[in-house]
Each structure stands twice: as structure tokens, then as C-alpha cells.
Amino acid sequence: MKYAEIYNDALIALAAATQRPANIVHLDDAYAIRVDLEYNRYVVATNTPHGLSNEPGISGTWLVRFFQADIDGAPDELLTEATNQWLIDAFDSALASLEAGGNKIVADADFGDISRTEATDADSRGDQA
């Protein structure tokens, strides 16, 4: 809850991009935004290399990392990471890198596809409105 209010916009943005809840979590003596995905994967976003800043406007770069959790107790595997001045641009870059690295799962295909509308979907199928 420490950062929930000052990072509300970032939480909303990641939740919209992933279609899943985004939360502030405590990781390795730092705070981060985390989104749990399917297939034991999750996304972690921070605006400094050491976690979320107490003053979000100071840092100019977001770091977004995709991880694969191992249920057998092994350390989580970093699949990809990306940085950008804007959170969603960093997320999009990390997702593109995930795909380029051959680590994309079919369920990942719809992340960030918030531009599609039902009218667009109907038009692509040839349906009439």
C-alpha cells in the first residue's frame, strides 16, 4: 500500500495492457509493480534499477521484466527486459522481445491489444452490424 496511491496511474496502465490485476509488491528490499500472468509467468515494473522511487517524477526510465517462475523451487528465470521513458512503451518493447526470443506463449498474444473493438472484430469476420 506504500506506493499504491502515487503509482495509481501506472497500476491502471499495466492492468489495462495485460487485462489482469496489477499490484505493488515488496521484492528483494524494494517495491515494484507486479502482474501475475498465465503459465507461472509474471511481469515486474520499476522506475529505478533498485525498485520504485519515492518520487515517481525523478526517474526518467521504466524497467519492465518478464519472468518464468519455477514451481520446483529453482530461481525464477528472467525471460526478457526492456526500458523506456514511458511504462507502456517499455512493456510493449519487452513483449516484442519476448516474442523475438521465441518465449512467447499463445496466451500472450492478446497482451496490449486494447485497440481492437467489437466492430473491428466483426468487420474482420465479414459480419454486418
Side-chain angles (χ1 to χ4, degrees):
M1 298 302 280
K2 178 178 180 178
Y3 291 101
E5 187 174 317
I6 61 175
Y7 285 100
N8 189 52
D9 290 344
L11 289 166
I12 291 169
L14 270 183
T18 61
Q19 303 290 312
R20 289 164 177 80
N23 298 292
I24 303 289
V25 296
H26 189 252
L27 300 172
D28 301 325
D29 296 327
Y31 287 91
I33 298 172
R34 178 176 168 146
V35 178
D36 289 312
L37 308 172
E38 297 172 334
Y39 306 106
N40 294 328
R41 290 184 172 193
Y42 61 94
V43 175
V44 173
T46 60
N47 62 346
T48 75
H50 307 290
L52 294 175
S53 169
N54 288 330
E55 298 180 37
I58 290 178
S59 175
T61 303
W62 280 93
L63 170 63
V64 173
R65 296 173 286 168
F66 278 78
F67 289 93
Q68 176 74 52
D70 188 325
I71 58 173
D72 295 329
D76 295 350
E77 176 187 359
L78 175 63
L79 298 174
T80 191
E81 65 183 9
T83 59
N84 196 293
Q85 178 181 1
W86 300 102
L87 172 59
I88 295 305
D89 290 341
F91 174 82
D92 288 343
S93 293
L95 187 59
S97 177
L98 189 71
E99 181 175 5
N103 288 316
K104 188 172 180 182
I105 295 177
V106 175
D108 296 336
D110 292 330
F111 291 167
D113 194 9
I114 58 176
S115 62
R116 294 186 68 169
T117 64
E118 292 202 22
T120 304
D121 292 343
D123 293 342
S124 67
R125 292 189 311 264
D127 295 347
Q128 299 288 328

